Amino acid sequence: MDGHVVRRKSDKKWRPPFERPKGIVLLATPEGWRHSILDVKGAMICGRLPGVPADADPREAKTAAAAMVVGLAREFHEADVEVTWDPPTEPRSWTGHVTLAAEADTTPPDA
């Protein structure tokens, strides 16, 4: 051979870096809003909620967190999801459930 290495294209399909989200925990801390996103296989992605100041209203933070999860699901899984928030059980902490938009819509089509 002439010294060139020929690589075969991978037959493996591209996989997203994490599975589809199924839940989220949002925490208000003195340093800022934090999130933990749980995926369908039990892994967690944690971090700071970008673009939301530490003194933001919880409604603003929940809206931003839900938008982030919806964007991640659409970008990496081509899935439309919805986030529904449970009533808070602890101060400064909220839990949300992430469902596929089709699963969240339980209204019969003829209704």
Side-chain angles (χ1 to χ4, degrees), residues 20-22 40 73-74 77-84 97-106:
R20 185 176 55 82
K22 77 171 193 176
V40 295
R74 188 170 293 134
H77 300 285
E78 298 179 355
D80 289 324
V81 299
E82 295 179 0
V83 178
T84 53
H97 302 276
V98 181
T99 55
L100 291 172
E103 291 175 2
D105 184 10
T106 57

Side-chain angles (χ1 to χ4, degrees), residues 26-35 47-56 61 92:
L26 182 63
L27 302 169
T29 71
E31 296 80 29
W33 292 89
R34 306 283 303 172
H35 66 78
R48 184 177 305 250
L49 187 60
V52 180
D55 61 349
R92 304 174 57 80

Side-chain angles (χ1 to χ4, degrees), residues 40-60:
V40 295
K41 289 196 174 178
M44 294 190 93
I45 303 165
C46 303
R48 184 177 305 250
L49 187 60
V52 180
D55 61 349
D57 182 79
R59 289 179 298 235
E60 180 184 347

Side-chain angles (χ1 to χ4, degrees), residues 62 84-91 93-97:
K62 290 188 328 187
T84 53
W85 296 98
D86 292 341
T89 57
E90 295 183 29
S93 175
W94 294 265
T95 302
H97 302 276

